[in-house]
Amino acid sequence: MGNEFVGDKPRRYITQNSELITIFIMATVKINGKEITVEDGTLILDAARQAGFEIPTFCYQARLSRLGSCRMCLVEIAGQKKLQPSCVTPVLHGMEIFTQNETVKTARASMLEFLLANHPLDCPTCDKGGECELQDLTFKYGPRQSPFAERKRRFHEKDEILSPVIVKNHNRCIHCERCVRICDEAVGAKALGGIGRGAMLKETSFLNKELDCDHCGNCIEVCPVGSFMSLPYRYKSRPWDLVETDTVCPFCATGCQLTIGTRNGSVLRVRSKIETGINKETLCARGRFGYDFIQSEKRLTKPMAKKNGRLTECSWEEAISQAKNKLSSAKKIAGIASARLTNEELYLFQKLMRNVFRTNNIDSGSRWTDKRTTDALINACNLSEGGTSIFEALKADLIFIIGSSISDENPITDYLIRTTAADKRKNLILAYPRRIKLDSSATISLKHTPGSEDIVISGILNALQNQAVKTDGSQVSESDIATIAQRMKTASTISIFLGTDSLRFANGKEMLLGIANLAKALKASGKNIKVMPLLDRCNQRGAWDMGVHPSFLPGYKKTNSDGMDCTGILEASSKGEMDAIYIIGEDIVSMYPDAKFAKEALSKAGFIIVQDMFLTETAKMADIVLPGASYAEKEGTWTNQEGRLQRLRRALQPIKAAREDLSILSSIGGFEYKSARDVFEEIRKEAPGYQDISFDSLNNTGVLVKGHGAEKQGSRGQGVKGSSETKINPSNPRTLEPSNPYLDDYPFLLITGNHLFHSGRLSQKADVLKRLLPESFVEISDKDAAALGIKEGDRVIVKGKHHEAVLRVRVKQGSLKGTAFIPENFEDVPVNCFFKKGEGIPRVKISKQ
Amino acid sequence: MNLLKKIFFIDFIKGLSLTFKYNVSRTITMRYPDEEKWLPYQRFRGLHTLNRDSQGRELCVACELCAKVCPTQCITVIPMEDVGTDLKSVPRGISDRIAKVYEINLVRCLFCGFCEDACPTTAIRMGRDYELACFTLDCAIADKKKLLTPRDIPAEFEGGFVVKAKFIRNDEGIKVKPDLSKKKRWW
């Protein structure tokens, strides 16, 4: 940057290609006599912090919009009579700023005095005491006395309970409005607002009633004082008593960093640290409040073996030796591992199955698809080519999200996208049949028929190539497709976020191929494309990286002979061909989309070993049950959906006689690994992408995995050669066959997936989360509800071809007509019973009870 | 003069007079622990007490400042929410936050009184009990119930003298129960 630019205003140019270019010009300012050159337009606060001067703040937070209300950050600017709030004042070239002189110090102390005038000073009973920003700043900058003798403002005697997890004390509020802003800008729930004026302002829910929001607790986290507090953690401990362990959230593949606080061996709370990890202080309800499953009374604490048809407790030696004998004597053997295990455990699992028991029949259960579709996803997202930072992906001009109820499946990714999409120059295009929270931030939101994603994608592809667009059967207007294609043409960088819903549809493979083609076509036209997966299991990507897949070895190396995927294993088992199945952490009976088939298949298996934390439906069928450990009880690494390797740290010892999954696998396989570190060292040798990463240097940011250098999988022979070759014929929609005899009898297409408060069946064991949503429901669109004469909260009969359930209705405005949603998490409403293997999306009928 | 002194045993009488004076003066030997006991001043730092307010509510709000400030870390406080209280019944504590567990490990305690200084509600006070001997180490942990039990010597009772007392020895340990009405100036 040449000196001649210094001091000029930023210039914005429009080039011949109608691109907007902003050139930042530097400004030199003097802060406390120290000269610093920063970009013009930088806030004084940021400039001062860069120069190494501390300025206290309450209302300022980097990711939130600027408010300038707390006046803690006042600074003196030479030539200006009044002090200026540095968090909203940009620097100007030549400014002389003082942040530490007597005027500023007095102003700070007076501001604190004003805040403390109405602050109740009930620190001894306040849960924030000890980590309160007001306490800290008062000790640092505050006046040590107050002449204020009048009565303090007092709204109430007893704290108000705003939700099953949030409790509010209005008396302590200092009006920084961080809670309101994080709720609006990041979470998007817009559940909080201000009532009243001046000192009597209350930041609370609508009409101060019980909150009906995401219950994410981010308001608790950002609150600088003890105004918002967590109800499960209420009066449990003091922050200085807690032993805090940084680890990673187990509920989705976003991979949020969280901190578990334990006291005397019991988990008391989970919090997130400011500016840490990709989540940057935000978490969702399940991450923040779903920790009590770790010490649930329902946990398995002792190994069990089947004796006379009943599972009875036995010793570890007995269980291990029996498992070993049965596995080694079995001729045909298969293994299914949960994608919630650590990389080390998954690696060891595939090593055990491949090297010791000589089989390639291993799979991890991501939505229980066939391996061809999985391969298509791996290929479409270029998973073998290493990780892509989500922040890089979010810099794109256009973000296209398809196949994921992202607000429910990956809430923090949703927050990140919402914050980014606040920039109105960006295009956010969302394609999902239900109305989800992120729709409010989207420029275009497509509501297409479930299962018709391939038609949408091929439509866009055709429109990009200026060919005729046909969207029959997808209920999407051709003009929308044309607009999307137009936006894609003008954008120079595009990020496509790809959900896992495609793995459940019969034609998911076509959609994924379509995405790969779309990406290729866009890349060919000189655009920068990133395809990001949105996965629902925390280590799904790691499981594929580690070779827990019937046709890949660690690092996506091809196997010599393909094994069976999960469906194949169950099919073989139903024919009575499987001698032994080893299942870790998966509840196949309740999650496989055809409960009846899965149950029958497993009942015919020769011998079943289940390693899990809870006695699941699958574990009840097992011959041997081994109690495993939860995420808080083990060391290891997880690879999130971006391909970011993050470290789990042990906060507790495994409950009672339960053992870490790694040590169970080691004893069955006779391996001699002392710790997860040893296994990781071996992973580094086997998976080239992990080669340069050292286990001990993994910090809170994690490290992006590099490319594995494996040959690119051409989607198993149906290679992505050119966009024109794999065009899908849109005139033949597969899910809405007009000849479908059930179409009239069963007018609704049933979508299933995770609810915002739940993830698989794991979070069902967390009592706090169960309190947030005690019973399952069926969600239909407002148009359908009006047509059927159903109101919110009514009980209805949901009847499918194979199953029937009575559920409460939730009416969602703006969802697509003819779609119904039931969360797959509830034990008493097993949605997988609605499914029939090979039929794809089930159809249901909804009628009043 | 010297001769006269020698003849009349003056020095001898002087010396003996002091002896006889003490012979008829009040005795200074305290018959502790069998009959008497020294009742310490109010500022004495003996076994802690947890106090209640005039309405009988626990003053302790389980803020854990005593535990934090304790140099030997002998105090354990685990707070809880007093959910059982409604507006009609008298709450257990002055706030809805009360101590679920309040324990002092007397073996580790060095009776410095920092806990007393840190307490924002004057809930914990150093009492005037100093007979802490017992037969097992279990009794060295003073729990909440023990600390909340009213003591023989009320806090407002002025100390600094000897009172009549009764020596009690039972399975729990030894104790010297003072009779506060019969005070006796010592010295």
Side-chain angles (χ1 to χ4, degrees), chain A residues 123-127 158-159 231 234-238 240-241 263-264, chain B residues 61-65 68 76-81 85 95-97 120:
Chain A
C123 307
T125 60
C126 175
D127 266 337
K158 265 185 121 60
D159 294 358
L231 198 52
R234 186 166 170 80
Y235 300 163
K236 287 269 161 63
S237 179
R238 283 282 174 188
W240 59 77
D241 287 325
R263 184 181 185 186
N264 299 336
Chain B
V61 294
C63 68
E64 299 190 32
L65 289 182
K68 176 75 181 162
T76 311
V77 189
I78 296 175
M80 70 174 204
E81 188 174 6
T85 56
S95 137
D96 56 350
R97 181 186 175 115

Side-chain angles (χ1 to χ4, degrees), chain B residues 54-156:
Chain B
S54 53
Q55 295 169 42
R57 299 177 301 176
E58 287 170 23
L59 282 169
C60 177
V61 294
C63 68
E64 299 190 32
L65 289 182
C66 47
K68 176 75 181 162
V69 79
C70 181
T72 60
Q73 293 169 8
C74 69
I75 307 180
T76 311
V77 189
I78 296 175
M80 70 174 204
E81 188 174 6
D82 191 9
V83 283
T85 56
D86 53 66
L87 290 172
K88 285 174 201 161
S89 68
V90 180
R92 284 162 75 184
I94 54 168
S95 137
D96 56 350
R97 181 186 175 115
I98 57 168
K100 183 161 81 178
V101 174
Y102 196 109
E103 280 179 358
I104 301 177
N105 187 344
L106 296 174
V107 178
R108 297 187 67 156
C109 180
L110 53 82
F111 299 94
C112 63
F114 280 9
C115 47
E116 198 178 30
D117 289 350
C119 186
T121 59
T122 65
I124 189 155
R125 278 275 165 271
M126 305 299 280
R128 280 181 272 177
D129 284 14
Y130 50 81
E131 289 107 2
L132 304 175
C134 54
F135 299 113
T136 57
L137 267 180
D138 297 346
C139 74
I141 311 274
D143 60 3
K144 190 177 166 187
K145 200 178 152 205
K146 185 176 176 183
L147 293 169
L148 271 171
T149 319
R151 296 293 148 75
D152 297 333
I153 312 162
E156 58 281 355

